[in-house]
Amino acid sequence: MNTQNDVVALVNISAQKWPPRHRTYFGSLEIRTPEPGEAFAITPIHACKGIMDLGDKRTMEFPISAREIADDLVLELNGDSGEGSFHGVFVAAGPMPTEEELTEAHRKLDAFHRRLVEAADLEWERSHNPMFITDLERRAARELKLDKPWLYDPKPQAECPACGEKIKAGVAVCRSCRAILNREKAAEFGLVLRESERPLDLMKLREKGSAK
Ligand SMILES: [Zn+2]
């Protein structure tokens, strides 16, 4: 096999971004994501040489075909979300994906998203708790352009005006920088003194001071 010419096209139809894939035989590989307006993105996968350790400082090189590497990556990328999961990545038979291959990939991705949405609907019916809806399920509903009551996070994250860290809306004190964001609420929990309590407290302190 001529490894120089052994290249296959790993096709991605989804906008999902993955962290780089790592393999000892090629190092790190970025899986391409379609740019806006593109129907798919191709990441070319090249054949590699693996090195087998035979012991006694002897090694043996062996070829790994592009197809083997691509199949392995596809299995890893699609398979991380349970049985039958599909994230829109496949290996094209030729250098470019055919219409049939793309249609089939869209059908599979659609079916997977619909299953996720169904599971979320059931969960919502049972618990009405958005905590039990996964990010994957939310993403699936958005991909299918479905409006669901469980799509909305009831506790939107706000930013602390003092340090810029993400905080829960309505908290009294920023957990990062300790800035008091709601004095009334902070006082309620004894974190600061109420305006009205201050002079009195000062007077008490003075009294204590003079009693010594
Ligand atoms: Zn802060």
Side-chain angles (χ1 to χ4, degrees):
M1 181 184 5
N2 186 349
T3 52
Q4 292 279 297
N5 297 327
D6 186 20
V7 183
V8 297
L10 191 146
V11 184
N12 177 18
I13 60 163
S14 98
Q16 193 179 336
K17 298 221 192 306
W18 288 279
R21 301 290 119 179
H22 300 283
R23 295 290 187 277
T24 51
Y25 39 88
F26 60 63
S28 172
L29 178 81
E30 197 83 45
I31 304 298
R32 285 200 54 221
T33 302
E35 299 292 330
E38 278 183 345
F40 59 86
I42 292 179
T43 308
I45 306 293
H46 298 263
C48 280
K49 282 201 172 72
I51 294 172
M52 204 184 286
D53 190 352
L54 301 173
D56 294 333
K57 291 178 183 150
R58 287 179 310 135
T59 55
M60 189 182 78
E61 278 194 346
F62 63 98
I64 311 175
S65 74
R67 179 78 206 202
E68 282 176 279
I69 295 167
D71 282 342
D72 172 45
L73 290 167
V74 161
L75 210 64
E76 181 180 285
L77 293 164
N78 285 329
D80 67 349
S81 312
E83 215 190 312
S85 85
F86 182 69
H87 293 294
V89 188
F90 65 94
V91 187
M96 287 288 275
T98 63
E99 275 312 311
E100 290 76 40
E101 283 175 326
L102 288 169
T103 306
E104 173 63 9
H106 277 289
R107 191 196 59 75
K108 276 169 77 177
L109 190 58
D110 215 63
F112 178 52
H113 285 158
R114 282 182 199 288
R115 273 197 6 238
L116 289 169
V117 168
E118 273 169 35
D121 278 341
L122 277 175
E123 181 54 56
W124 184 253
E125 210 172 283
R126 191 182 69 81
S127 67
H128 271 265
N129 187 344
M131 294 274 285
F132 294 136
I133 308 296
T134 66
D135 287 344
L136 199 62
E137 288 163 346
R138 288 200 175 88
R139 195 164 62 213
R142 286 194 199 101
E143 286 288 326
L144 295 171
K145 301 195 165 46
L146 297 172
D147 194 22
K148 293 287 180 183
W150 42 261
L151 261 181
Y152 308 98
D153 193 339
K155 291 185 236 75
Q157 296 249 293
E159 267 171 26
C160 169
C163 71
E165 273 298 308
K166 289 257 182 285
I167 50 166
K168 282 191 187 120
V171 293
V173 176
C174 172
R175 55 187 272 203
S176 297
C177 72
R178 317 305 302 167
I180 293 152
L181 304 171
N182 183 332
R183 183 163 287 280
E184 202 47 43
K185 201 167 173 182
E188 207 176 295
F189 296 104
L191 298 166
V192 291
L193 297 173
R194 263 181 240 272
E195 288 301 332
S196 57
E197 289 170 351
R198 287 168 144 199
L200 207 72
D201 271 56
L202 274 175
M203 276 165 73
K204 274 186 201 157
L205 280 171
R206 277 191 206 123
E207 276 166 28
K208 275 183 196 161
S210 58
K212 269 182 193 164

